[in-house]
Amino acid sequence: MLDALAYLHDSDLVAGFQRRCGLFLVDAAHHTRGAAPAGTPDHMDQSGGLQKTTRKYQDSNSNYKYEENGCIRPKYEVRNWPLHIVFLFSAGLGHEVFYITGLPTIHWNLDPFLCRRLINIWALVMYIGQVMKDVLKLPRPLSPPVVKLETRVDAEYGLPSTHAMAATAISFTLLLSAPARIQFQFEVGLLMAVTLSTMVCLSRLYTGMHSVLDVICGVLISALVMYATYPYWEAFDQFQLSSSVSPMAALVVPFFLSLTYPQLEHYSTTRGDTTTILGVGAGCSVGYWMNEQLGETFDPQGVLPVPLPPLTTHTLALGTARFLVGVFALVGTRQAIKAASLYLLYWWYNIPENDKSATRRKEIEVPSKFATYASVGLVHSFLVNRIFILLGIL
């Protein structure tokens, strides 16, 4: 059993998958800096896919330490660009850009109920996954032999893969929840859920950020959470929308969980990312509760389950307009609240304005991110649809 787990966690297994997909590590010893012709970007050489950076050649836990001594990260060559693009796109489905655009689009153009259900389960599985990472402290794949295509999360631990967890939870929660709301062919939905979650899982191997064991555990943990909570989804819906204590609980509990997030010896993005997710969930929960109290839930018109909206030029134009207006509102809220919260926190703790490193301190990072993304969630769930009405696009 232990041998099997060690095999699934082996970096060579990930490197082998990358090579089969056309991503090859190039020995850094065979290349020297300055070899690229004039006009070539500094992260490429003649092969079209060789990347350099000022990092140590190998890490023990993906906790790279940046250096200024000119060390070169192992370079890579891409031999299958279509697959490379597909996997990078799939990996992007687990990033903030997708969450601030993809999930709200379901609310604005399909059904707020489904969006709320997805955000609830997404916040739950992501919190569990992030905490498990920093409690178990299992390393990411080593580089070399693995090519790592992402750098932001180098300091995070590996198991479980929260991309795999989120993709599994979102895909199959939508599949289980949609039949009561939207008319569609279940077999098609199942195929789409399996395809989406599989592509995201494989992208974590291709980008070199997770071992096979990380991904398998992420899928299984997410499935277990869904299985354990599924009988209570309706009861939680009732509490979230109707209870007088719901708004307070939605704000206090996630903020407490953010403040008590496991402390590491080094700085990691996991605490900030977890606070972001919990903040979004908190703000959305308050917004949906307010909609329910006002009797304006923006549910689909007609008897449920309703047919899917027809793909006409008119519906596509309306959908595009809602998307652009909605994203503008969310991004604007994010920028305004982030700037205001950091200004107030820097003033409160008497921190110089030019001290950018202070944003990593818990007393700065947690309140700022929670306030910012709770505001984003509230604007998304409560305000944006009312803007649509004023503009005549709902």
Side-chain angles (χ1 to χ4, degrees):
M1 182 64 176
L2 292 178
D3 289 342
L5 293 177
Y7 171 75
L8 292 174
H9 199 249
D10 190 2
S11 299
D12 288 325
L13 190 61
V14 179
F17 176 80
Q18 290 181 319
R19 289 191 292 270
R20 290 185 183 91
C21 294
L23 184 64
F24 289 83
L25 188 70
V26 180
D27 188 354
H30 296 164
H31 298 270
T32 58
R33 288 181 298 166
T40 301
D42 60 5
H43 63 285
M44 306 282 285
D45 72 0
Q46 295 98 318
S47 67
L50 305 183
Q51 182 171 329
K52 300 178 181 179
T53 185
T54 56
R55 292 177 181 264
K56 288 185 174 180
Y57 185 74
Q58 186 174 22
D59 71 308
S60 61
N61 186 41
S62 294
N63 301 322
Y64 290 98
K65 296 180 180 178
Y66 287 88
E67 296 182 342
E68 300 297 336
N69 58 5
C71 291
I72 302 176
R73 177 184 177 183
K75 298 177 286 185
Y76 64 87
E77 180 180 356
V78 177
R79 299 182 185 176
N80 189 333
W81 278 101
L83 200 58
H84 182 75
I85 294 171
V86 167
F87 278 132
L88 291 186
F89 175 79
S90 300
L93 297 178
H95 296 322
E96 178 188 354
V97 173
F98 170 73
Y99 295 132
I100 207 171
T101 56
L103 291 180
T105 298
I106 296 176
H107 174 112
W108 301 332
N109 293 296
L110 191 59
D111 186 1
F113 172 92
L114 293 176
C115 182
R116 177 173 56 82
R117 179 70 64 80
L118 293 179
I119 289 173
N120 288 341
I121 197 69
W122 165 65
L124 176 62
V125 299
M126 288 296 287
Y127 176 76
I128 292 172
Q130 295 284 72
V131 169
M132 287 187 67
K133 278 184 181 181
D134 287 344
V135 170
L136 296 175
K137 298 183 178 181
L138 294 180
R140 291 182 183 270
L142 299 177
S143 178
V146 169
V147 178
K148 292 193 174 181
L149 300 181
E150 297 181 6
T151 58
R152 177 180 176 273
V153 294
D154 277 350
E156 293 185 10
Y157 292 100
L159 190 147
S161 166
T162 47
H163 274 70
M165 292 183 70
T168 302
I170 289 174
S171 300
F172 288 94
T173 297
L174 183 60
L175 180 67
L176 293 173
S177 301
R181 310 286 299 182
I182 306 292
Q183 296 176 21
F184 69 100
Q185 190 173 349
F186 186 83
E187 292 77 9
V188 174
L190 177 61
L191 178 61
M192 293 177 64
V194 171
T195 301
L196 174 63
S197 55
T198 299
M199 289 305 299
V200 173
C201 289
L202 292 178
S203 75
R204 304 318 289 159
L205 302 180
Y206 183 82
T207 56
M209 301 314 297
H210 285 288
S211 68
V212 176
L213 182 63
D214 297 342
V215 171
I216 291 175
C217 287
V219 172
L220 293 179
I221 293 168
S222 198
L224 180 61
V225 171
M226 292 179 62
Y227 176 79
T229 60
Y230 179 74
Y232 308 102
W233 286 2
E234 296 291 341
F236 184 77
D237 286 340
Q238 184 68 22
F239 169 81
Q240 186 178 39
L241 296 178
S242 304
S243 174
S244 59
V245 301
S246 174
M248 184 62 68
L251 293 173
V252 172
V253 173
F255 187 64
F256 174 78
L257 293 175
S258 300
L259 285 175
T260 58
Y261 188 84
Q263 189 75 28
L264 297 177
E265 298 82 5
H266 62 275
Y267 177 77
S268 169
T269 55
T270 50
R271 183 181 64 203
D273 289 346
T274 305
T275 303
T276 293
I277 294 164
L278 293 177
V280 168
C284 287
S285 185
V286 173
Y288 286 120
W289 180 87
M290 293 169 64
N291 287 337
E292 183 74 17
Q293 303 312 303
L294 294 174
E296 298 177 345
T297 57
F298 305 101
D299 287 338
Q301 298 298 312
V303 179
L304 297 175
V306 299
L308 283 169
L311 291 179
T312 64
T313 303
H314 179 69
T315 57
L316 288 174
L318 281 179
T320 301
R322 292 171 192 159
F323 176 81
L324 294 175
V325 172
V327 170
F328 180 81
L330 297 190
V331 173
T333 300
R334 177 187 179 273
Q335 295 304 107
I337 303 301
K338 178 181 178 181
S341 62
L342 286 176
Y343 177 83
L344 290 174
L345 288 166
Y346 271 49
W347 170 77
W348 181 262
Y349 288 103
N350 197 27
I351 298 173
E353 291 183 10
N354 59 354
D355 186 359
K356 302 302 181 183
S357 64
T359 57
R360 294 186 170 191
R361 291 164 50 176
K362 183 172 77 171
E363 64 270 25
I364 302 295
E365 181 179 54
V366 171
S368 174
K369 284 186 176 291
F370 191 85
T372 297
Y373 287 94
S375 300
V376 169
L378 181 62
V379 169
H380 148 69
S381 57
F382 182 77
L383 186 60
V384 170
N385 270 29
R386 289 167 171 82
I387 296 176
F388 293 163
I389 293 175
L390 292 175
L391 296 177
I393 57 175
L394 185 61

